[in-house]
Amino acid sequence: MARHNRVGRGVDQCGFGYRISYQPDWLDRIRVTRRLPSGRRSTRTIFRNPARNPKGKAGDLVRTRIESPAQSLAIEISFRTASGPVGEVEVHWRGNAAPAYEADRVRFILTALPTA
């Protein structure tokens, strides 16, 4: 049985802050990819799990929440892994700004801890 979610924080390449609720026995890191105002695409790790060695099994239900009030962003990811381990999950988010600019599109990549 997985342990209760922990809370972490991170900052992306544009200076937006994030609050991350994560399962310590599943999540290794979160990377964010976005277009900068210059047009260049940039990827940055916004969170790395401080517990490098899981103390238990992740369980079959994985839950993660990513929030950034400055962007009006709140994402909840939940999935079951009954058929085997999941290595990465990719989530795409687009802000509410109109018209939609490339800088308002954000890609999150959640990477699992390596399995033994």
Side-chain angles (χ1 to χ4, degrees), residues 3 12-13 20-21 28 39 45 52 56-57 63-64 69-70 72-73 76 81 84-85 98 101 105 108 111 113:
R3 295 182 290 152
D12 72 8
Q13 55 274 65
I20 298 132
S21 173
D28 181 39
T45 300
R52 303 307 302 159
K57 292 193 176 208
R63 298 177 326 258
T64 304
S72 299
L73 180 148
E76 291 186 41
T81 62
Y101 294 104
R105 295 181 182 166
F108 297 94
T111 305
L113 287 164

Side-chain angles (χ1 to χ4, degrees), residues 29-90:
R29 67 183 173 274
I30 298 176
R31 292 174 301 184
V32 62
T33 300
R34 67 185 324 142
R35 287 237 181 251
L36 301 177
S38 67
R40 185 175 70 88
R41 187 172 57 160
S42 174
T43 300
R44 180 172 181 177
T45 300
I46 61 168
F47 173 77
R48 187 173 302 274
N49 188 341
R52 303 307 302 159
N53 297 319
K55 291 189 174 32
K57 292 193 176 208
D60 66 343
L61 177 64
V62 175
R63 298 177 326 258
T64 304
R65 182 172 173 85
I66 303 170
E67 300 173 314
S68 176
Q71 299 176 87
S72 299
L73 180 148
I75 298 171
E76 291 186 41
I77 301 116
S78 177
F79 59 90
R80 293 203 178 272
T81 62
S83 63
V86 173
E88 284 188 345
V89 174
E90 187 171 315

Side-chain angles (χ1 to χ4, degrees), residues 99-114:
Y101 294 104
E102 285 292 322
D104 295 327
R105 295 181 182 166
V106 182
R107 180 176 71 167
F108 297 94
I109 301 168
L110 291 76
T111 305
L113 287 164

